[in-house]
Amino acid sequence: MCGRFAAELDYPEIAQMLHAQPSAGLPGKSWNVSPTQTIAVIGQDARGVNHLASAYWSLIPPTAESKKLPYPTFNARIESALDRPTFAQAARHNRAIIPVSGYYEWTAERKPYYFHAKDNRPLLLLGLYSWWLSRERANATWLLTATILTRDSVGIAAQVHDRMPVLSDPQHAQEWLNRSVSGDKILPEASAYGARLSQSLLASHEVAPLHGDGPELTEPYDEMMLRF
């Protein structure tokens, strides 16, 4: 799974990397982003233009009566996304990239680990997006919502947790975002590629329990302990 991440991002760099048009009001830097907060996502519109925009982190399908769902939707299993009514429509056409500087995962003993690229470049996580309009409020505006796709863990990620986010790179991200590409075809291929990519890309280290916000949350646990 992926339920917490860091986003120390350079948006102009991300936009250039993924040939996206940045929107106003993108979220500020954070090292402790959790579900239902505002995150940055890249998605493609019906004209084939990529956009970098803010989204609510937990996908709400268009048919939902309320923003509060009875089940969590901040993650979706890539293996079953096409079969789940909540995610199926988005998996076919509304695929997204969620840029992060790294993500956190916990062991069975609740020890937190921070995963990041070995060269500290942003990680590109595969996701899905959906537009939702509240029926409970008059004059409501459309809300962009998103989820992060996960798969069985491999490599160093498997030493911490049995699930991990599905990774991409700038080249494969373009095909992933392409709305004309069939979800039936690209989801299995993207999952397999993400597994191979993570083997060479990811590094990790234990961190202190997450409290508050700030770059110190991503520092190795042993280095933090030396300060006390």
Side-chain angles (χ1 to χ4, degrees), residues 193-211:
Y193 182 76
R196 295 193 299 272
L197 181 62
S198 66
Q199 300 270 23
S200 59
L201 181 64
L202 283 181
S204 71
H205 55 262
E206 185 179 354
V207 295
L210 270 61
H211 298 293

Side-chain angles (χ1 to χ4, degrees), residues 121-139:
R121 288 181 299 173
L123 293 177
L124 303 180
L125 311 186
L126 298 189
L128 308 173
Y129 73 87
S130 180
W131 289 96
W132 178 75
L133 182 66
S134 173
R135 298 172 176 81
E136 299 174 340
R137 293 190 302 113
N139 302 318

